[in-house]
């Protein structure tokens, strides 16, 4: 248990400049192996069928931390936690989430679950159904890495999600701040037309921040604000 810990990257609202939430990032530090990147240990956990207990542990740790923030007076703070397709396909996933929310004493509006596009490649309708059930409980769903996988602007409206996260790959392309041909602006305006919130991740420079504010991106996260 002590080998895996969570770090919390703040999310900044672009108009108020206030922290509105965090993303819980799992980190592994072992005495034997040193620091192991998430891409490696999550991949191993999935292959060794350990992703379910690991995912549950991460969700619980994140909710315990969220409760501390709520108790300090930040009642509207929202914690984003990544979930895998394997978790979403478990029959008892919704019960597990509900139990953790109840046990830790947070409100469902304090929780946001992040999925990646690849999760939807297989079992699309089944997983899309689970996402709607989560939303029915008041938990928001965000689509991570948007624009890098199979989903297109066209399919965005059919997904049972609340938030689109623009992948850092697109944010990196904002170099001088007046780029004309970036798909980033199209993703933002299309998402807003569909009533979705937009988060940009991997924001590292003031130029990127200003560009995103100018093009009405709702929320930003990245090293520019905090690791």
């Amino acid at each position: 248990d002590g080998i895996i810990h969570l770090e919390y990257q703040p999310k900044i609202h672009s108009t108020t400049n206030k922290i509105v939430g965090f993303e819980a990032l799992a980190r592994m530090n072992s005495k034997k192996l040193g620091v192991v990147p998430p891409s490696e240990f999550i991949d191993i956990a999935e292959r060794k069928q350990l992703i379910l207990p690991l995912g549950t542990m991460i969700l619980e740790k994140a909710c315990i931390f969220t409760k501390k923030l709520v108790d300090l007076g930040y009642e509207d703070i929202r914690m984003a936690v990544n979930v895998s397709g394997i978790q979403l396909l478990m029959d008892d996933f919704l019960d597990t989430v509900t139990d953790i929310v109840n046990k830790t004493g947070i409100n469902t509006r304090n929780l946001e679950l992040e999925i990646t596009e690849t999760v939807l490649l297989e079992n699309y309708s089944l997983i899309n159904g689970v996402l709607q059930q989560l939303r029915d409980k008041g938990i928001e769903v965000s689509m991570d890495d948007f624009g890098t996988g199979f989903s297109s602007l066209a399919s965005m409206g059919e997904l049972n999600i609340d938030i689109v996260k623009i992948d850092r790959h697109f944010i990196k392309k904002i170099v001088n701040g007046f780029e004309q041909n970036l798909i980033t602006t199209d993703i933002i305006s299309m998402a807003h037309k569909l009533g979705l919130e937009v988060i940009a991740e991997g924001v590292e420079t003031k130029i990127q921040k200003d560009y995103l504010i100018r093009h009405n991106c709702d929320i930003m996260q990245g090293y520019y604000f905090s690791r």
Side-chain angles (χ1 to χ4, degrees):
D1 179 32
I3 298 174
I4 303 241
H5 69 278
L6 299 187
E7 291 178 1
Y8 301 95
Q9 189 174 54
K11 295 178 173 189
I12 313 294
H13 197 281
S14 59
T15 50
T16 64
N17 216 24
K18 286 197 164 78
I19 294 174
V20 287
F22 293 89
E23 181 180 355
L25 302 166
R27 297 289 181 255
M28 180 174 178
N29 200 345
S30 112
K31 283 196 177 78
K32 204 164 69 179
L33 303 166
V35 176
V36 182
S39 53
E40 272 182 51
F41 74 77
I42 300 283
D43 185 47
I44 292 165
E46 286 187 341
R47 287 206 309 266
K48 300 273 185 199
Q49 269 97 48
L50 292 170
I51 196 69
L52 292 172
L54 179 65
T56 303
M57 182 186 86
I58 289 168
L59 182 61
E60 193 164 335
K61 277 180 188 273
C63 288
I64 289 167
F65 179 69
T66 307
K67 178 69 167 105
K68 284 182 183 163
L69 295 175
V70 169
D71 287 346
L72 288 169
Y74 303 101
E75 286 103 5
D76 296 323
I77 210 82
R78 212 167 61 205
M79 181 64 69
V81 183
N82 293 276
V83 291
S84 73
I86 299 168
Q87 286 172 278
L88 287 166
L89 288 169
M90 294 307 288
D91 291 341
D92 62 352
F93 178 67
L94 289 159
D95 293 338
T96 302
V97 174
T98 307
D99 286 349
I100 290 174
V101 166
N102 293 340
K103 194 165 80 176
T104 54
I106 63 167
N107 199 301
T108 48
R109 64 163 188 206
N110 297 125
L111 186 60
E112 172 190 322
L113 294 180
E114 271 188 31
I115 59 159
T116 55
E117 290 190 291
T118 43
V119 160
L120 288 154
L121 273 173
E122 296 163 31
N123 308 299
Y124 175 88
S125 56
L126 193 61
I127 285 181
N128 210 24
V130 174
L131 300 182
Q132 189 51 50
Q133 287 175 281
L134 287 166
R135 294 173 73 204
D136 290 343
K137 287 179 181 289
I139 295 167
E140 297 208 317
V141 176
S142 58
M143 163 77 80
D144 206 4
D145 308 333
F146 188 85
T148 57
F150 82 98
S151 71
S152 61
L153 294 175
S155 69
M156 214 196 259
E158 295 159 19
L159 296 170
N160 291 323
I161 58 174
D162 304 280
I163 302 154
V164 166
K165 293 191 78 177
I166 303 175
D167 189 73
R168 63 189 67 245
H169 162 80
F170 296 108
I171 307 305
K172 269 197 173 78
K173 293 185 175 171
I174 304 168
V175 182
N176 68 29
F178 292 93
E179 287 74 3
Q180 295 299 311
N181 55 351
L182 288 186
I183 193 172
T184 308
T185 52
D186 301 320
I187 295 174
I188 295 170
S189 61
M190 182 76 175
H192 284 163
K193 278 192 185 114
L194 294 165
L196 301 172
E197 193 173 62
V198 183
I199 298 178
E201 54 185 352
V203 179
E204 295 187 359
T205 67
K206 185 174 188 305
I207 284 176
Q208 291 167 347
K209 176 194 162 189
D210 292 346
Y211 178 93
L212 291 162
I213 290 173
R214 212 165 41 246
H215 290 94
N216 304 314
C217 181
D218 302 299
I219 292 171
M220 297 173 281
Q221 67 180 98
Y223 287 176
Y224 179 78
F225 305 101
S226 168
R227 285 179 178 257

Short mmCIF file of all heavy atoms in Angstrom, two decimals, residues 135 146 153-159 161-164 183-198 215-218:
data_model
loop_
_atom_site.label_atom_id
_atom_site.label_comp_id
_atom_site.label_asym_id
_atom_site.label_seq_id
_atom_site.Cartn_x
_atom_site.Cartn_y
_atom_site.Cartn_z
N ARG A 135 -23.55 9.37 -14.33
CA ARG A 135 -24.05 10.75 -14.42
C ARG A 135 -25.40 10.89 -13.71
O ARG A 135 -25.68 11.92 -13.11
CB ARG A 135 -24.17 11.17 -15.88
CG ARG A 135 -22.80 11.26 -16.56
CD ARG A 135 -22.94 11.50 -18.04
NE ARG A 135 -23.37 12.87 -18.31
CZ ARG A 135 -24.01 13.23 -19.42
NH1 ARG A 135 -24.31 12.35 -20.34
NH2 ARG A 135 -24.35 14.49 -19.60
N PHE A 146 -8.71 13.74 -25.49
CA PHE A 146 -9.61 13.87 -26.63
C PHE A 146 -8.86 14.32 -27.88
O PHE A 146 -8.01 15.19 -27.84
CB PHE A 146 -10.76 14.85 -26.36
CG PHE A 146 -11.77 14.84 -27.47
CD1 PHE A 146 -12.78 13.90 -27.47
CD2 PHE A 146 -11.65 15.70 -28.55
CE1 PHE A 146 -13.69 13.84 -28.52
CE2 PHE A 146 -12.55 15.65 -29.60
CZ PHE A 146 -13.57 14.71 -29.58
N LEU A 153 -15.11 14.73 -33.67
CA LEU A 153 -16.05 15.77 -33.25
C LEU A 153 -17.47 15.30 -33.49
O LEU A 153 -18.39 15.64 -32.77
CB LEU A 153 -15.77 17.06 -34.02
CG LEU A 153 -14.42 17.73 -33.74
CD1 LEU A 153 -14.22 18.93 -34.66
CD2 LEU A 153 -14.29 18.18 -32.31
N ALA A 154 -17.65 14.46 -34.52
CA ALA A 154 -19.00 14.00 -34.89
C ALA A 154 -19.61 13.10 -33.81
O ALA A 154 -20.80 13.16 -33.56
CB ALA A 154 -18.95 13.27 -36.22
N SER A 155 -18.77 12.27 -33.20
CA SER A 155 -19.33 11.31 -32.23
C SER A 155 -19.44 11.90 -30.83
O SER A 155 -20.00 11.30 -29.93
CB SER A 155 -18.45 10.06 -32.17
OG SER A 155 -17.21 10.37 -31.59
N MET A 156 -18.90 13.09 -30.65
CA MET A 156 -18.87 13.71 -29.33
C MET A 156 -20.26 13.82 -28.71
O MET A 156 -20.44 13.62 -27.52
CB MET A 156 -18.27 15.11 -29.45
CG MET A 156 -17.47 15.56 -28.27
SD MET A 156 -17.23 17.34 -28.34
CE MET A 156 -15.62 17.52 -28.96
N GLY A 157 -21.24 14.11 -29.54
CA GLY A 157 -22.60 14.32 -29.05
C GLY A 157 -23.29 13.06 -28.56
O GLY A 157 -24.26 13.12 -27.82
N GLU A 158 -22.79 11.89 -29.00
CA GLU A 158 -23.44 10.63 -28.62
C GLU A 158 -22.87 10.07 -27.32
O GLU A 158 -23.43 9.15 -26.74
CB GLU A 158 -23.23 9.58 -29.73
CG GLU A 158 -23.91 9.94 -31.03
CD GLU A 158 -23.28 9.20 -32.21
OE1 GLU A 158 -22.59 8.18 -31.99
OE2 GLU A 158 -23.46 9.67 -33.33
N LEU A 159 -21.76 10.60 -26.88
CA LEU A 159 -21.11 10.07 -25.69
C LEU A 159 -21.77 10.62 -24.43
O LEU A 159 -22.11 11.79 -24.37
CB LEU A 159 -19.63 10.45 -25.67
CG LEU A 159 -18.78 9.88 -26.80
CD1 LEU A 159 -17.40 10.52 -26.79
CD2 LEU A 159 -18.64 8.37 -26.65
N ILE A 161 -20.95 11.96 -21.68
CA ILE A 161 -19.88 12.63 -20.94
C ILE A 161 -20.29 14.08 -20.64
O ILE A 161 -21.25 14.59 -21.23
CB ILE A 161 -18.54 12.62 -21.72
CG1 ILE A 161 -18.69 13.30 -23.09
CG2 ILE A 161 -18.00 11.21 -21.86
CD1 ILE A 161 -17.38 13.47 -23.86
N ASP A 162 -19.57 14.69 -19.71
CA ASP A 162 -19.84 16.09 -19.35
C ASP A 162 -18.70 17.01 -19.76
O ASP A 162 -18.89 18.20 -19.93
CB ASP A 162 -20.00 16.21 -17.82
CG ASP A 162 -21.09 15.28 -17.29
OD1 ASP A 162 -22.26 15.65 -17.40
OD2 ASP A 162 -20.75 14.18 -16.82
N ILE A 163 -17.51 16.41 -19.86
CA ILE A 163 -16.29 17.20 -20.01
C ILE A 163 -15.39 16.57 -21.06
O ILE A 163 -15.28 15.35 -21.14
CB ILE A 163 -15.51 17.24 -18.67
CG1 ILE A 163 -16.39 17.83 -17.55
CG2 ILE A 163 -14.19 18.00 -18.80
CD1 ILE A 163 -16.02 17.37 -16.17
N VAL A 164 -14.74 17.41 -21.85
CA VAL A 164 -13.75 16.95 -22.81
C VAL A 164 -12.40 17.52 -22.39
O VAL A 164 -12.28 18.71 -22.11
CB VAL A 164 -14.11 17.48 -24.23
CG1 VAL A 164 -12.94 17.31 -25.17
CG2 VAL A 164 -15.32 16.75 -24.77
N ILE A 183 -6.67 22.71 -34.45
CA ILE A 183 -7.96 22.05 -34.22
C ILE A 183 -8.47 22.36 -32.80
O ILE A 183 -9.66 22.22 -32.52
CB ILE A 183 -7.84 20.53 -34.44
CG1 ILE A 183 -9.22 19.89 -34.52
CG2 ILE A 183 -6.98 19.88 -33.37
CD1 ILE A 183 -9.22 18.44 -34.93
N THR A 184 -7.58 22.80 -31.92
CA THR A 184 -7.95 23.11 -30.53
C THR A 184 -9.17 24.02 -30.46
O THR A 184 -10.10 23.76 -29.69
CB THR A 184 -6.75 23.82 -29.82
OG1 THR A 184 -5.60 23.01 -30.01
CG2 THR A 184 -7.01 23.98 -28.34
N THR A 185 -9.17 25.07 -31.27
CA THR A 185 -10.29 26.02 -31.22
C THR A 185 -11.59 25.36 -31.68
O THR A 185 -12.66 25.65 -31.15
CB THR A 185 -10.00 27.26 -32.09
OG1 THR A 185 -9.64 26.82 -33.39
CG2 THR A 185 -8.87 28.07 -31.51
N ASP A 186 -11.48 24.44 -32.66
CA ASP A 186 -12.68 23.72 -33.14
C ASP A 186 -13.23 22.79 -32.06
O ASP A 186 -14.45 22.68 -31.90
CB ASP A 186 -12.34 22.89 -34.39
CG ASP A 186 -11.82 23.77 -35.52
OD1 ASP A 186 -12.37 24.87 -35.69
OD2 ASP A 186 -10.87 23.37 -36.20
N ILE A 187 -12.32 22.12 -31.36
CA ILE A 187 -12.76 21.22 -30.29
C ILE A 187 -13.50 22.02 -29.21
O ILE A 187 -14.58 21.62 -28.76
CB ILE A 187 -11.56 20.45 -29.66
CG1 ILE A 187 -10.91 19.51 -30.69
CG2 ILE A 187 -12.03 19.63 -28.44
CD1 ILE A 187 -9.65 18.82 -30.20
N ILE A 188 -12.94 23.17 -28.84
CA ILE A 188 -13.57 23.99 -27.80
C ILE A 188 -14.96 24.45 -28.22
O ILE A 188 -15.94 24.27 -27.50
CB ILE A 188 -12.69 25.22 -27.44
CG1 ILE A 188 -11.37 24.77 -26.80
CG2 ILE A 188 -13.44 26.16 -26.47
CD1 ILE A 188 -10.33 25.89 -26.64
N SER A 189 -15.07 24.99 -29.45
CA SER A 189 -16.38 25.53 -29.85
C SER A 189 -17.41 24.42 -30.08
O SER A 189 -18.58 24.57 -29.71
CB SER A 189 -16.25 26.43 -31.09
OG SER A 189 -15.76 25.71 -32.17
N MET A 190 -16.97 23.29 -30.64
CA MET A 190 -17.88 22.16 -30.86
C MET A 190 -18.37 21.60 -29.50
O MET A 190 -19.56 21.34 -29.32
CB MET A 190 -17.14 21.06 -31.63
CG MET A 190 -18.00 19.86 -31.96
SD MET A 190 -19.10 20.22 -33.33
CE MET A 190 -19.84 18.62 -33.55
N ALA A 191 -17.45 21.46 -28.56
CA ALA A 191 -17.81 20.93 -27.23
C ALA A 191 -18.83 21.86 -26.56
O ALA A 191 -19.82 21.41 -25.99
CB ALA A 191 -16.57 20.79 -26.36
N HIS A 192 -18.60 23.17 -26.66
CA HIS A 192 -19.52 24.13 -26.05
C HIS A 192 -20.90 24.07 -26.70
O HIS A 192 -21.92 24.18 -26.02
CB HIS A 192 -18.94 25.55 -26.13
CG HIS A 192 -17.86 25.79 -25.12
ND1 HIS A 192 -16.97 26.84 -25.21
CD2 HIS A 192 -17.53 25.12 -23.98
CE1 HIS A 192 -16.14 26.80 -24.17
NE2 HIS A 192 -16.46 25.76 -23.42
N LYS A 193 -20.93 23.86 -28.04
CA LYS A 193 -22.23 23.73 -28.72
C LYS A 193 -23.01 22.55 -28.18
O LYS A 193 -24.24 22.56 -28.15
CB LYS A 193 -22.01 23.55 -30.22
CG LYS A 193 -21.78 24.86 -30.95
CD LYS A 193 -21.86 24.66 -32.46
CE LYS A 193 -21.51 25.96 -33.17
NZ LYS A 193 -20.26 25.87 -33.94
N LEU A 194 -22.29 21.52 -27.75
CA LEU A 194 -22.93 20.31 -27.23
C LEU A 194 -23.16 20.40 -25.72
O LEU A 194 -23.59 19.44 -25.09
CB LEU A 194 -22.08 19.08 -27.55
CG LEU A 194 -21.96 18.74 -29.04
CD1 LEU A 194 -20.83 17.75 -29.27
CD2 LEU A 194 -23.27 18.18 -29.58
N GLY A 195 -22.83 21.56 -25.13
CA GLY A 195 -23.06 21.74 -23.70
C GLY A 195 -21.99 21.08 -22.83
O GLY A 195 -22.23 20.82 -21.65
N LEU A 196 -20.83 20.80 -23.39
CA LEU A 196 -19.75 20.17 -22.63
C LEU A 196 -18.76 21.20 -22.13
O LEU A 196 -18.57 22.25 -22.74
CB LEU A 196 -19.01 19.15 -23.50
CG LEU A 196 -19.84 18.00 -24.09
CD1 LEU A 196 -19.02 17.21 -25.09
CD2 LEU A 196 -20.36 17.08 -22.99
N GLU A 197 -18.12 20.89 -21.01
CA GLU A 197 -17.07 21.74 -20.47
C GLU A 197 -15.74 21.30 -21.11
O GLU A 197 -15.59 20.13 -21.47
CB GLU A 197 -17.02 21.50 -18.95
CG GLU A 197 -16.21 22.50 -18.18
CD GLU A 197 -16.37 22.29 -16.68
OE1 GLU A 197 -16.00 21.21 -16.18
OE2 GLU A 197 -16.89 23.20 -16.03
N VAL A 198 -14.80 22.22 -21.23
CA VAL A 198 -13.52 21.88 -21.86
C VAL A 198 -12.36 22.14 -20.90
O VAL A 198 -12.24 23.23 -20.34
CB VAL A 198 -13.29 22.68 -23.16
CG1 VAL A 198 -11.98 22.26 -23.83
CG2 VAL A 198 -14.46 22.49 -24.12
N HIS A 215 -9.68 31.75 -26.45
CA HIS A 215 -10.58 30.88 -27.20
C HIS A 215 -11.58 30.16 -26.30
O HIS A 215 -12.12 29.10 -26.66
CB HIS A 215 -9.77 29.90 -28.05
CG HIS A 215 -9.06 30.57 -29.18
ND1 HIS A 215 -7.76 31.02 -29.08
CD2 HIS A 215 -9.48 30.93 -30.42
CE1 HIS A 215 -7.41 31.59 -30.22
NE2 HIS A 215 -8.44 31.56 -31.05
N ASN A 216 -11.81 30.74 -25.12
CA ASN A 216 -12.90 30.31 -24.23
C ASN A 216 -12.78 28.91 -23.64
O ASN A 216 -13.80 28.27 -23.36
CB ASN A 216 -14.27 30.45 -24.93
CG ASN A 216 -14.51 31.85 -25.42
OD1 ASN A 216 -14.28 32.81 -24.68
ND2 ASN A 216 -14.92 31.99 -26.67
N CYS A 217 -11.56 28.42 -23.48
CA CYS A 217 -11.38 27.15 -22.77
C CYS A 217 -11.79 27.37 -21.32
O CYS A 217 -11.50 28.41 -20.74
CB CYS A 217 -9.92 26.71 -22.86
SG CYS A 217 -9.61 25.13 -22.06
N ASP A 218 -12.51 26.40 -20.72
CA ASP A 218 -13.07 26.61 -19.38
C ASP A 218 -12.04 26.45 -18.26
O ASP A 218 -11.98 27.27 -17.34
CB ASP A 218 -14.22 25.62 -19.13
CG ASP A 218 -15.30 25.76 -20.18
OD1 ASP A 218 -15.89 26.86 -20.26
OD2 ASP A 218 -15.56 24.80 -20.93
#
